[in-house]
């Protein structure tokens, strides 16, 4: 992996639940505030927090198949025992013993996950979730909260439904045809036509900006691969990823709250989801670069996780509450804010990825798969990477010889440009503290919000520095206030 500098955003979905995970344990002194312990929140609450607004619209959320898998007993899984209430089984006595243990055990990297060492024969003290102070009762989120992000109210994950089951087979046929065969995708759980129709309309509102951003990047670096190598730095080993993540969590004061999983089977570079009731950060090790990793952590933890946790305390923490207070959908604000935080402190904060996703979706609405593959070749040379972008834009469709797209990926650039347009008037502290809300609702809601003990990431503490970097993003991507005011009003 480390020998290669080429990035291929691998488009794979694990067929089984991620079995080996660990909690990043905090030192004794770091866990003092009971409000920061969320281990006792129900799976339903946590799933609703992170169902919307994840950076990849991640497909690792529980599908029907995954739920079946979760229901099976996994006696060998340390993670399952750590995140589930012990049942009345032969293993329950061991669970009781674990609850009495206090001292943390060092974690180590093994295989594709950060895992705890095997259980030793002699008793060893370990930190277990139950040793944390019991949190105060948290407000319950309705399972229909998914409507808050324009999803169907039914217990249905569109991202699982649009996952092709014959992806590798069709990729092989496509490559063997010398890129002339239009894949025919099959789906185990076809999405509801009405839901898919919602996400089949592409916009050209920011098409000019998306093309200009990519052309600027290519003018300076020659190719995306060279830009990535020059600004992203080297790929990191699992040990170094663990070290970076641990330091970041200590900086944000959230050690012991989030499970970390390292994998190569992920559509995006990272995702924040809930597995077995635990907030889970999944990192794609094949794209984890030295100078970009902290930006990813600001995206997933500093934005998605903190806004999700803050949302629990607010009057609009359920679908009923959102409707009562007439909240706008949290996207494109959620993904726009997270995407800005990804590039916030980069030397050259080009908005390349958001621009390419926006452009690819728009072209997919007009082109067949083969035409789209050829078209984006002017921006991305690597055929594997091009394949992945085309699949993202065409997912949900069966016959890709026809024009058609899955438009969700346009939300990143859309959100970024809206936030930059109003950056001088947005209270970014409040935007985080109020939870899963649109920037348009902040002023109206601030008088109704619970502000005490809200969690704001460290990089928002210095307002002046934060605003300087927003200006730099504008400058590097050659965006002007006049241009944005003409487009967004």
């Amino acid at each position: 992996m480390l020998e290669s500098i080429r990035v291929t955003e691998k488009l794979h979905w694990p067929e089984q639940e991620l079995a080996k995970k660990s909690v990043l344990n905090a030192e004794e002194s770091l866990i003092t505030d009971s409000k920061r312990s969320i281990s006792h929140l129900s799976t339903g609450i946590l799933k609703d927090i992170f169902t919307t607004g994840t950076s990849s619209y991640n497909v690792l959320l529980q599908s029907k198949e995954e739920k079946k898998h979760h229901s099976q007993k996994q006696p060998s899984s340390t993670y399952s025992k750590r995140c589930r209430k012990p049942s009345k089984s032969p293993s329950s006595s061991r669970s009781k013993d674990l609850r009495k243990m206090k001292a943390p055990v060092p974690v180590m990297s093994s295989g594709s996950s950060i895992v705890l060492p095997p259980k030793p024969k002699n008793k060893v003290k370990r930190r277990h979730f139950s040793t944390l102070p019991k949190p105060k009762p948290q407000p319950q989120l309705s399972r229909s909260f998914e409507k808050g992000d324009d999803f169907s109210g039914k217990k249905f994950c569109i991202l699982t439904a649009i996952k092709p089951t014959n992806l590798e087979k069709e990729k092989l046929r496509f490559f063997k045809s010398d890129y002339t065969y239009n894949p025919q995708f099959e789906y185990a759980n076809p999405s509801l036509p009405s839901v898919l129709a919602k996400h089949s309309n592409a916009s050209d509102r920011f098409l000019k900006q998306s093309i200009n951003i990519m052309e600027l990047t290519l003018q300076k670096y020659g190719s995306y691969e060279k830009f990535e190598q020059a600004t992203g730095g080297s790929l990191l080993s699992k040990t170094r990823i663990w070290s970076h993540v641990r330091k970041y969590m200590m900086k944000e004061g959230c050690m012991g709250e989030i499970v970390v999983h390292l994998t190569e089977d992920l559509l995006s570079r990272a995702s924040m989801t809930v597995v077995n009731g635990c907030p889970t950060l999944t990192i794609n090790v094949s794209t984890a670069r030295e100078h970009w990793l902290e930006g990813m952590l600001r995206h997933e933890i500093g934005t998605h996780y903190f806004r999700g946790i803050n949302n629990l305390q607010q009057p609009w923490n359920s679908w009923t509450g959102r409707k009562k207070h007439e909240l706008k959908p949290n996207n494109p604000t959620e993904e726009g804010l997270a995407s800005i935080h990804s590039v916030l402190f980069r030397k050259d904060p080009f908005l390349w990825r958001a621009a390419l996703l926006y452009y690819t979706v728009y072209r997919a609405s007009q082109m067949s798969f083969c035409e789209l593959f050829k078209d984006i070749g002017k921006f991305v040379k690597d055929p594997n990477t091009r394949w992945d972008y085309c699949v993202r834009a065409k997912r949900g469709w069966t016959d890709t010889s026809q024009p058609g797209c899955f438009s969700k990926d346009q939300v990143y650039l859309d959100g970024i440009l809206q936030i930059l347009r109003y950056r001088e008037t947005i209270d970014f502290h409040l935007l985080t503290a109020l939870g899963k809300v649109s920037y348009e609702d902040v002023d109206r809601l601030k008088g109704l919000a619970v502000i005490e003990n809200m969690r704001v990431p460290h990089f928002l503490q210095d307002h002046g520095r934060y605003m300087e970097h927003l200006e730099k993003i504008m400058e590097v991507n050659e965006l002007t206030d006049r241009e944005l005011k003409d487009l967004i009003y």
Side-chain angles (χ1 to χ4, degrees):
M1 181 190 306
L2 292 175
E3 287 77 10
S4 173
I5 61 169
R6 184 181 66 189
V7 162
T8 299
E9 295 173 11
K10 297 182 179 180
L11 187 57
H12 300 299
W13 289 270
E15 293 182 1
Q16 295 186 342
E17 193 267 324
L18 309 174
K20 292 185 179 180
K21 310 178 183 68
S22 73
V23 176
L24 294 179
N25 296 302
E27 275 74 9
E28 192 78 28
S29 62
L30 289 177
I31 306 176
T32 56
D33 188 351
S34 64
K35 291 179 181 177
R36 292 191 172 187
S37 172
I38 59 170
S39 60
H40 298 279
L41 297 181
S42 71
T43 304
I45 296 174
L46 291 168
K47 181 175 182 293
D48 287 334
I49 294 173
F50 300 113
T51 292
T52 60
T54 55
S55 70
S56 60
Y57 294 102
N58 183 37
V59 296
L60 293 176
L61 293 174
Q62 286 104 330
S63 63
K64 291 180 181 177
E65 292 87 357
E66 286 175 321
K67 286 178 181 176
K68 268 186 197 172
H69 186 79
H70 295 304
S71 67
Q72 297 172 356
K73 292 183 180 179
Q74 297 177 325
S76 63
S77 173
T78 302
Y79 170 72
S80 295
K81 293 187 177 81
R82 296 170 76 88
C83 297
R84 290 191 311 216
K85 292 183 179 179
S87 57
K88 294 181 180 179
S89 66
S91 64
S92 61
S93 59
R94 184 185 170 201
S95 298
K96 289 178 182 177
D97 290 337
L98 285 172
R99 285 200 296 272
K100 298 176 183 177
M101 300 174 183
K102 295 181 180 179
V105 160
V107 296
M108 62 183 182
S109 179
S110 173
S112 62
S113 311
I114 298 173
V115 300
L116 287 171
K119 183 188 174 186
K121 292 181 181 179
N122 297 325
K123 290 185 178 179
V124 177
K125 291 183 178 181
R126 301 181 183 181
R127 177 165 299 287
H128 184 265
F129 260 145
S130 348
T131 65
L132 302 181
K134 189 172 182 179
K136 294 181 180 180
Q138 301 280 9
Q140 299 287 315
L141 296 184
S142 165
R143 286 193 175 274
S144 63
F145 176 74
E146 295 170 20
K147 294 179 183 177
D149 197 32
D150 297 333
F151 280 91
S152 166
K154 299 185 179 182
K155 292 171 70 174
F156 163 78
C157 180
I158 187 174
L159 299 172
T160 297
I162 62 173
K163 179 184 76 172
T165 56
N166 61 339
L167 199 60
E168 292 305 317
K169 177 184 172 184
E170 291 301 279
K171 181 177 182 179
L172 187 61
R173 289 188 68 177
F174 177 74
F175 276 71
K176 279 186 175 181
S177 74
D178 196 26
Y179 318 136
T180 60
Y181 166 73
N182 286 298
Q184 303 295 301
F185 291 134
E186 298 172 359
Y187 304 91
N189 298 296
S191 56
L192 300 175
S194 60
V195 176
L196 190 57
K198 275 186 179 181
H199 305 295
S200 62
N201 296 316
S203 170
D204 64 354
R205 187 182 189 186
F206 305 119
L207 187 63
K208 177 184 174 183
Q209 288 69 33
S210 69
I211 293 171
N212 190 52
I213 288 167
M214 291 187 287
E215 288 180 344
L216 287 170
T217 310
L218 295 178
Q219 283 170 18
K220 182 165 184 177
Y221 290 94
S223 71
Y224 174 70
E225 288 76 17
K226 290 179 181 178
F227 161 69
E228 180 180 59
Q229 183 186 3
T231 65
S234 60
L235 286 166
L236 295 172
S237 66
K238 291 173 184 176
T239 302
R240 290 189 66 195
I241 293 172
W242 150 247
S243 177
H244 280 279
V245 172
R246 186 177 184 279
K247 286 177 183 176
Y248 184 83
M249 287 186 172
M250 289 182 70
K251 191 159 35 179
E252 297 292 17
C254 59
M255 288 286 287
E257 296 179 9
I258 300 169
V259 173
V260 173
H261 178 70
L262 304 184
T263 184
E264 292 186 23
D265 294 330
L266 190 63
L267 174 60
S268 64
R269 292 170 183 171
S271 67
M272 193 80 213
T273 57
V274 173
V275 182
N276 284 352
C278 293
T280 301
L281 173 63
T282 304
I283 299 172
N284 188 339
V285 297
S286 67
T287 60
R289 292 188 174 269
E290 184 178 11
H291 304 308
W292 289 358
L293 187 64
E294 181 152 342
M296 178 274 289
L297 296 172
R298 288 194 298 268
H299 183 126
E300 301 296 344
I301 297 175
T303 311
H304 292 320
Y305 178 69
F306 276 6
R307 274 168 55 93
I309 294 302
N310 290 340
N311 197 76
L312 285 173
Q313 307 297 328
Q314 305 302 346
W316 44 86
N317 63 15
S318 66
W319 167 238
T320 305
R322 293 184 75 87
K323 189 175 181 181
K324 176 184 176 182
H325 293 283
E326 299 180 336
L327 264 65
K328 295 179 181 296
N330 66 345
N331 266 316
T333 295
E334 179 79 18
E335 288 303 342
L337 188 64
S339 297
I340 285 173
H341 293 162
S342 292
V343 304
L344 191 63
F345 300 123
R346 288 186 189 176
K347 181 181 177 182
D348 276 338
F350 283 109
L351 299 167
W352 169 278
R353 183 172 170 79
L356 182 54
L357 288 170
Y358 190 95
Y359 175 87
T360 305
V361 165
Y362 176 73
R363 290 301 188 202
S365 70
Q366 301 177 318
M367 298 177 172
S368 68
F369 194 101
C370 292
E371 291 168 338
L372 179 64
F373 185 87
K374 182 178 179 181
D375 183 72
I376 66 172
K378 57 194 172 194
F379 299 118
V380 182
K381 300 303 180 187
D382 179 61
N384 288 290
T385 302
R386 273 194 277 166
W387 161 267
D388 291 343
Y389 273 94
C390 290
V391 170
R392 284 189 70 132
K394 286 287 189 182
R395 54 187 167 161
W397 295 82
T398 300
D399 182 5
T400 66
S401 68
Q402 301 300 313
C405 70
F406 181 68
S407 63
K408 272 288 187 178
D409 281 342
Q410 288 195 320
V411 76
Y412 303 102
L413 187 62
D414 188 342
I416 289 169
L417 297 185
Q418 288 196 45
I419 289 171
L420 290 176
R421 158 72 172 86
Y422 292 105
R423 68 192 183 283
E424 297 291 346
T425 58
I426 293 173
D427 186 327
F428 288 97
H429 269 81
L430 270 178
L431 185 57
T432 300
L434 299 187
K436 298 284 188 175
V437 303
S438 167
Y439 74 87
E440 298 170 274
D441 286 334
V442 169
D443 288 340
R444 184 172 59 84
L445 296 174
K446 61 185 178 184
L448 306 170
V450 176
I451 302 300
E452 295 77 13
N453 300 311
M454 290 298 101
R455 302 174 69 174
V456 178
H458 75 281
F459 54 86
L460 275 176
Q461 302 303 327
D462 187 336
H463 178 73
R465 184 174 181 237
Y466 184 85
M467 296 303 293
E468 284 175 8
H469 282 277
L470 293 189
E471 294 300 328
K472 185 172 184 179
I473 292 172
M474 292 280 291
E475 179 185 340
V476 168
N477 293 278
E478 293 191 0
L479 299 167
T480 66
D481 284 313
R482 180 176 180 179
E483 175 186 19
L484 294 182
K485 285 176 183 177
D486 287 342
L487 287 167
I488 304 164
Y489 43 85

